[in-house]
Amino acid sequence: MSEQHPVSRFGTVALADMPEDLRTRIGAIAEKSGFVPNVFLALAHRPAELRAFLDYHDALMDRSDGLSKAERELVVVATSGANHCTYCVVAHGAILRVRTKDPEIADRVASNPWAAVLSPRERAIVDLALLIATDSASLTDAELDDARLAGLSEDEIWDVGAITALFAMSNRLAHLTALRPNPEFFLLGRLPR
């Protein structure tokens, strides 16, 4: 499979060949997950950009306040589905399934985020994220007021926008590189551990 469908159109960098700081940082992720996500192997040929990506990713996705970790992943899966990004849907769909303990949520949200059955709060998060992802120029105070009425704080609204923006970039890099998802992602959160 890897000869016909390489991980990236631009090649990859093995973990052992990355600069020490990236090797340590990504090695910790690999130790926790049991594998090195292909996105890191693909982006590592430009170490400064990978560092910046990881720093912004971690600043948004590892926060302990604002949106829950599951809600953050919900934004990624919904917008990545709308952007037709297979890598991000598969990878973050796995994380969403694990965080929610729901083996179906990622498929429902990725395939049709506009119609997925969600709680009112989740619907507000997804609707705002989708608007920002697909037609950000049409965003008005009315949509922000709708998010507030659903209980989102100013910080949470910012989280939705910033995560949507970061993953718009990530989705486009995945398209550029034809990034192939790791096989391990497909079963995560579907079967009991």
Side-chain angles (χ1 to χ4, degrees), residues 126-147:
V126 168
D127 286 349
L128 180 58
L130 290 170
L131 179 60
I132 296 167
T134 63
D135 192 14
S136 61
S138 72
L139 179 68
T140 68
D141 288 343
E143 288 82 23
L144 298 180
D145 288 342
D146 289 345

Side-chain angles (χ1 to χ4, degrees), residues 75-96:
V75 171
V76 178
V77 173
T79 59
S80 295
N83 289 328
H84 310 289
C85 181
T86 301
Y87 183 88
C88 293
V89 164
V90 171
H92 290 273
I95 299 167
L96 179 60

Side-chain angles (χ1 to χ4, degrees), residues 1 35 38 85-95 97-98 102-104 106-107 179-191:
M1 178 155 115
F35 61 97
N38 286 342
C85 181
T86 301
Y87 183 88
C88 293
V89 164
V90 171
H92 290 273
I95 299 167
R97 289 190 301 271
V98 168
D102 180 345
E104 298 176 8
D107 296 321
L179 191 57
R180 182 169 41 95
N182 300 69
E184 295 90 344
F185 281 128
F186 288 94
L187 292 180
L188 280 175
R190 294 191 194 277
L191 303 173

Side-chain angles (χ1 to χ4, degrees), residues 13-188:
V13 177
L15 183 62
D17 296 330
M18 292 181 196
E20 184 178 350
D21 65 310
L22 289 173
R23 193 170 54 247
T24 300
R25 192 168 185 177
I26 294 166
I29 295 167
E31 188 173 315
K32 184 175 180 182
S33 66
F35 61 97
V36 178
N38 286 342
V39 66
F40 304 132
L41 302 175
L43 296 181
H45 77 279
R46 300 192 61 166
E49 292 173 32
L50 177 54
R51 286 181 193 100
F53 176 82
L54 286 168
D55 287 344
Y56 196 45
H57 173 279
D58 293 354
L60 291 174
M61 301 301 284
D62 292 343
R63 287 183 48 165
S64 59
D65 58 343
L67 298 177
S68 72
K69 289 187 181 246
E71 290 169 338
R72 292 169 197 281
E73 295 299 336
L74 183 64
V75 171
V76 178
V77 173
T79 59
S80 295
N83 289 328
H84 310 289
C85 181
T86 301
Y87 183 88
C88 293
V89 164
V90 171
H92 290 273
I95 299 167
L96 179 60
R97 289 190 301 271
V98 168
R99 296 215 187 281
T100 60
K101 297 180 180 30
D102 180 345
E104 298 176 8
I105 188 170
D107 296 321
R108 290 192 313 264
V109 170
S111 63
N112 188 350
W114 293 273
V117 176
L118 301 167
S119 73
R121 178 180 168 84
E122 291 168 333
R123 172 54 46 208
I125 290 168
V126 168
D127 286 349
L128 180 58
L130 290 170
L131 179 60
I132 296 167
T134 63
D135 192 14
S136 61
S138 72
L139 179 68
T140 68
D141 288 343
E143 288 82 23
L144 298 180
D145 288 342
D146 289 345
R148 291 180 190 108
L149 284 173
L152 273 69
S153 69
E154 298 300 298
D155 263 359
E156 290 169 333
I157 291 169
W158 185 275
D159 286 344
V160 170
I163 293 165
T164 299
L166 173 66
F167 280 90
M169 180 196 75
S170 182
N171 296 160
R172 281 142 184 87
L173 283 172
H175 290 147
L176 172 69
T177 61
L179 191 57
R180 182 169 41 95
N182 300 69
E184 295 90 344
F185 281 128
F186 288 94
L187 292 180
L188 280 175

